[in-house]
Amino acid sequence: MQYNTTIVSLAVMTTLLVFYFIRRRLALRSTRLFTVMIFCSFFNMCAELSTLYTIYHIDSVASQVNRLCHQLFIGSLDITIYFLFLYVDAKAHNQKRNHLLPFVLKTIPLAVSFIMVVFGRLAYHIGSDARYSYGPMAMTVYSCAALYIIGVVFLLVHHRHAFSYSVWKTILAGVTVWAAIALYQLLNPGALLSSMALMLMMVFLFLSFENPRDFIDHDIDGVMNGAAFSLMLSEYIESGKEFFIITFTLSNDKLLKTSLGYKDVFCILSSLNKNQYDITKEDAYHVKENTLCVLCRNNGSYTALLNRSSGVLPYKTDNGISVSLNYFTGILSVPQYVQTVQEVNEVIDYVSSEGIYRQEDGLLIIDDTVVVQMKRQAAIELLVQKAVEEDGLDVYYQPIYSVQKKRFVSAEALVRLKDTATLGYISPEVFIPIAEKQGIIKKLGTIVFEKVCEFSSLHNLKEKGVEYIEINISAIQGVDEKLPNLFKQIMSKYNISPDFINLEVTESASTVAGEMLVKTMEQLRKLGCRFSMDDFGTGYSNLAKMVNTPFDIIKIDKSLLWPCFSGDIRRRQEACILLESCIRLILKLNMHIVTEGVETEEQRAMLESYEVTYLQGYLFSKPIPESQYITFLDEHVKNL
Ligand code: C2E
Ligand code: CA
Ligand code: CA
């Protein structure tokens, strides 16, 4: 009967041990402490069993053996509670190691109880109802355990913010259960429930946050998850020693997901993990959808990575198709370049989404330059967001010259950030993609559209000889089915006739956006708006699309014009043939042409000889603010 609770506790504890050790554990300080704790409690239960035997066979067992068994039992109980205290202490102080003095102070009660375990007097109650030990040794040791339990409660209360609520709750509940049982045991010395109390507390802790299963990534074989990474990262950072974070980012993961499917992408990441393990010999964490991270302390894997040949991963799909996939590798030294968990996470976010790796081997040493670049990007993101929310945008106008009419019949509206003081001038080429990524491009586009309508109506641009204004729209706006109605409302609010508006859609946008864009375009065309294909010559120049999509004007990019005036004669001739043929083709299709980037009289003369309809470039004017544009128009109307 007396053996029952101990045997049950021991059985549960053995199962727990097996579950705990078959899985890979994190190398956290608290996890190491828990490992010691789980061993000590197991040992404690075995020792308790032995005391039960020796005390019930007290006449036949040597008294030294009986005392030794009790010493082992009582001593291991103390050590377990001591480690419980260190465990909570590690969690409360973000895994930080103790300095020598606090460590010594915290260990004094254990040392005292140890002396008592070795030299203290122990008596045995041999009754018909129960048999148990008591006396100064037992008392000291139980008081010491109580002291550590009070310490645990103190840590929980004092460092409340260091624990998540669920962790806090669980430890407190575990300790309360243990204390309640211990108190009952004190009042009923014959009950022998200490092993049961210990077992319950260990199960509590195991199930709530020392279960290795919680840290395994369930999608990718052999990889730990993001939660494990966060814990390990804070321990590494808290240690204050230098370490490296190596990021492995799969390129084109979105494309892979649509062409191969999620499962294959996970398999690819798993084989990327094997690949990286051969080099670094370290566990990887699945930190972002397309990114694995490795934490390492030794320079060896760093050098090995620098010397590896390329970032190419051979992979065979389930259907037996062999593909070569690219991955990018980033190496960050901490705390050399970044110091906090938040900064590390920002760097990982940044490098896993930007194409900033070396072309030849997909490698990036994340140094000061990258970190400064990242911080600037984050600052721009904030600035753009603020500009969209707080009227921080301006529209500039770049006049467009008609070759036939010999005057400025139109202008392109180009957005600018008002704030040039904080970060200097930022090109829309930089902040438009950021606005697209942040999901505020629709709002930005609407602001620009409304500003153009308001300005055109206020200054009656039509009377100044302006036939239409060109406004850039991004692909994201182009596929918004609400766009036609929205633009219609704004135009009627300012009494702008739709044929005064020409919307520029880039060549690449019209390739990507496809049918949805054509639908929006057709609705806007029905209202009377016109369209230009922007940046012709920079995308894939899908001629069939050009014919099928309702464009009125093709804007030839400067990259087709400028090579016609480059140094090398052969290249010049070839570039001229290409440009002239494009112009002839577009004119034959009955579309008008704007050539952008006209900077010299020489360029203008050549384009006029090719019968290009419109010219735009610094030769005539740079993009200028509203007031200057009005002055520009007034002067040119006068000069007519
Ligand atoms: P884009 O549509 O190709 O605009 C023409 C760009 O070429 C403008 O740059 C303009 O300043 C520049 N440019 C014009 N003539 C010359 C020249 O002779 N020489 C040189 N070197 N450059 C010339 P900007 O204003 O920096 O705009 C850059 C890009 O940002 C635009 O390229 C356009 O794609 C985008 N963007 C500008 N405003 C908006 C807008 O309101 N909405 C959207 N979605 N995109 C915009
Ligand atoms: Ca444009
Ligand atoms: Ca353009």
Side-chain angles (χ1 to χ4, degrees):
M1 172 59 200
Q2 289 286 10
Y3 289 87
N4 286 359
T5 50
T6 314
I7 287 176
V8 170
S9 303
L10 194 59
V12 174
M13 210 55 210
T14 312
T15 323
L16 203 97
L17 263 178
V18 172
F19 272 113
Y20 188 66
F21 281 99
I22 52 171
R23 293 251 161 71
R24 215 154 8 131
R25 276 148 285 119
L26 294 185
L28 283 174
R29 192 171 127 73
S30 61
T31 307
R32 286 194 293 268
L33 292 169
F34 185 80
T35 310
V36 178
M37 226 157 89
I38 209 169
F39 264 123
C40 285
S41 2
F42 179 76
F43 181 83
N44 174 261
M45 287 168 203
C46 297
E48 186 173 21
L49 265 186
S50 74
T51 60
L52 285 175
Y53 179 85
T54 56
I55 206 166
Y56 276 90
H57 299 82
I58 200 153
D59 299 331
S60 55
V61 173
S63 65
Q64 291 92 332
V65 174
N66 185 33
R67 182 176 160 87
L68 180 67
C69 289
H70 277 84
Q71 281 171 320
L72 291 175
F73 164 57
I74 297 176
S76 61
L77 180 71
D78 245 11
I79 297 179
T80 313
I81 304 297
Y82 169 69
F83 274 99
L84 169 71
F85 173 75
L86 291 186
Y87 171 82
V88 177
D89 192 37
K91 282 202 177 279
H93 293 101
N94 214 350
Q95 309 286 348
K96 215 184 249 164
R97 261 167 211 289
N98 278 302
H99 289 298
L100 188 64
L101 185 65
F103 179 75
V104 169
L105 288 177
K106 286 169 190 172
T107 313
I108 287 176
L110 181 73
V112 172
S113 84
F114 246 68
I115 295 171
M116 281 308 282
V117 166
V118 178
F119 303 107
R121 197 173 63 79
L122 195 65
Y124 306 101
H125 169 88
I126 312 289
S128 55
D129 52 338
R131 294 182 174 200
Y132 55 87
S133 55
Y134 65 96
M137 183 205 291
M139 268 328 282
T140 319
V141 167
Y142 289 137
S143 317
C144 161
L147 216 59
Y148 282 122
I149 290 294
I150 292 170
V152 167
V153 175
F154 170 79
L155 285 171
L156 285 176
V157 174
H158 200 246
H159 296 277
R160 166 75 193 85
H161 55 276
F163 301 87
S164 73
Y165 182 59
S166 62
V167 169
W168 190 82
K169 219 170 44 184
T170 315
I171 301 184
L172 200 62
V175 169
T176 315
V177 168
W178 188 87
I181 299 180
L183 196 69
Y184 180 83
Q185 165 97 59
L186 198 71
L187 302 174
N188 307 278
L192 293 181
L193 289 175
S194 96
S195 58
M196 169 86 92
L198 209 54
M199 178 273 284
L200 283 177
M201 197 172 63
M202 298 309 288
V203 170
F204 247 102
L205 295 180
F206 175 84
L207 290 181
S208 25
F209 39 82
E210 287 303 332
N211 186 350
R213 238 184 94 80
D214 295 344
F215 300 120
I216 289 170
D217 190 276
H218 297 294
D219 296 319
I220 306 168
D221 260 4
V223 170
M224 311 274 227
N225 62 18
F229 181 73
S230 303
L231 287 170
M232 290 302 294
L233 179 64
S234 30
E235 173 154 343
Y236 269 61
I237 286 184
E238 283 299 336
S239 79
K241 287 189 210 136
E242 187 188 32
F243 67 98
F244 297 103
I245 298 175
I246 305 168
T247 63
F248 298 93
T249 299
L250 202 60
S251 75
N252 284 330
D253 67 307
K254 292 206 174 70
L255 190 71
L256 288 174
K257 253 170 222 151
T258 44
S259 54
L260 294 175
Y262 271 83
K263 256 179 91 183
D264 263 311
V265 173
F266 290 144
C267 290
I268 293 168
L269 282 169
S270 168
S271 89
L272 175 59
N273 178 41
K274 286 190 193 100
N275 203 293
Q276 76 77 19
Y277 189 83
D278 289 342
I279 304 171
T280 67
K281 301 279 179 281
E282 300 277 356
D283 284 338
Y285 303 84
H286 188 200
V287 173
K288 286 180 71 73
E289 240 183 320
N290 61 344
T291 302
L292 300 180
C293 278
V294 163
L295 295 165
C296 65
R297 288 215 187 272
N298 62 332
N299 279 340
S301 31
Y302 179 95
T303 336
L305 275 168
L306 291 183
N307 294 333
R308 76 166 163 69
S309 53
S310 73
V312 176
L313 184 73
Y315 180 73
K316 210 170 191 166
T317 66
D318 275 351
N319 323 335
I321 305 167
S322 291
V323 277
S324 283
L325 300 162
N326 289 321
Y327 67 90
F328 301 123
T329 311
I331 307 177
L332 170 68
S333 166
V334 188
Q336 191 177 3
Y337 298 119
V338 291
Q339 289 77 37
T340 65
V341 171
Q342 194 190 341
E343 281 175 328
V344 168
N345 287 329
E346 279 167 12
V347 167
I348 295 172
D349 268 357
Y350 180 65
V351 299
S352 61
S353 62
E354 305 288 322
I356 47 176
Y357 297 86
R358 246 180 7 209
Q359 284 258 305
E360 44 309 356
D361 54 6
L363 200 68
L364 175 73
I365 310 290
I366 304 164
D367 56 9
D368 260 345
T369 329
V370 179
V371 173
V372 167
Q373 207 177 313
M374 173 193 86
K375 292 203 167 142
R376 184 176 160 79
Q377 171 104 356
I380 296 175
E381 279 173 20
L382 270 180
L383 202 70
V384 178
Q385 209 156 12
K386 218 172 122 203
V388 168
E389 274 156 22
E390 298 171 13
D391 190 27
L393 298 172
D394 261 340
V395 176
Y396 276 40
Y397 293 85
Q398 186 176 34
I400 295 176
Y401 180 77
S402 160
V403 175
Q404 281 159 356
K405 296 184 182 166
K406 297 196 173 6
R407 63 184 179 85
F408 294 92
V409 294
S410 133
E412 177 173 2
L414 294 156
V415 68
R416 298 285 181 267
L417 291 174
K418 275 186 194 164
D419 181 355
T420 52
T422 317
L423 296 169
Y425 172 75
I426 303 161
S427 159
E429 252 159 325
V430 173
F431 72 77
I432 292 289
I434 290 180
E436 287 177 344
K437 219 168 72 184
Q438 285 185 315
I440 53 172
I441 187 68
K442 283 189 200 168
K443 216 167 163 187
L444 185 149
T446 311
I447 294 172
V448 171
F449 191 82
E450 180 148 10
K451 276 189 185 289
V452 172
C453 290
E454 189 183 11
F455 171 71
S456 308
S457 146
L458 190 68
H459 293 277
N460 211 341
L461 294 191
K462 252 192 172 161
E463 277 185 5
K464 294 186 197 296
V466 179
E467 294 171 5
Y468 63 92
I469 296 284
E470 302 197 348
I471 304 173
N472 293 284
I473 60 167
S474 108
I476 298 171
Q477 284 175 279
V479 295
D480 177 12
E481 52 184 31
K482 297 199 194 96
L483 191 82
N485 222 353
L486 179 70
F487 279 8
K488 191 178 158 190
Q489 278 171 12
I490 297 174
M491 286 186 291
S492 65
K493 179 174 167 192
Y494 295 99
N495 206 12
I496 294 290
S497 145
D499 64 7
F500 190 74
I501 302 294
N502 179 298
L503 298 167
E504 292 190 9
V505 183
T506 60
E507 185 188 5
S508 47
S510 61
T511 329
V512 179
E515 271 175 38
M516 265 311 289
L517 175 71
V518 177
K519 228 172 121 186
T520 333
M521 282 173 77
E522 267 161 6
Q523 274 174 285
L524 282 160
R525 277 183 75 87
K526 267 194 205 133
L527 292 176
C529 294
R530 297 279 165 263
F531 282 90
S532 294
M533 178 193 271
D534 203 358
D535 299 345
F536 177 82
T538 58
Y540 297 103
S541 298
N542 187 333
L543 297 178
K545 255 221 161 81
M546 200 170 96
V547 180
N548 290 332
T549 320
F551 287 112
D552 305 274
I553 297 177
I554 304 293
K555 297 194 77 170
I556 296 182
D557 192 70
K558 34 192 176 281
S559 58
L560 279 187
L561 172 68
W562 289 351
C564 300
F565 299 87
S566 75
D568 182 40
I569 295 186
R570 230 183 94 88
R571 271 199 59 208
R572 250 158 78 165
Q573 282 173 341
E574 282 170 5
C576 283
I577 294 171
L578 184 67
L579 178 66
E580 194 186 351
S581 319
C582 284
I583 293 172
R584 299 247 166 279
L585 178 83
I586 297 166
L587 291 176
K588 269 217 174 98
L589 290 170
N590 277 330
M591 289 187 273
H592 295 292
I593 296 172
V594 177
T595 318
E596 291 183 314
V598 184
E599 292 189 346
T600 63
E601 281 295 347
E602 211 187 346
Q603 291 171 342
R604 172 187 181 168
M606 188 187 82
L607 292 165
E608 287 191 354
S609 76
Y610 288 165
E611 291 167 24
V612 166
T613 359
Y614 303 110
L615 305 175
Q616 176 184 356
Y618 291 177
L619 174 68
F620 306 101
S621 167
K622 287 195 168 180
I624 43 179
E626 289 176 347
S627 57
Q628 275 185 43
Y629 179 52
I630 295 297
T631 319
F632 180 94
L633 285 176
D634 288 342
E635 275 172 11
H636 285 83
V637 172
K638 253 189 270 152
N639 293 346
L640 274 180

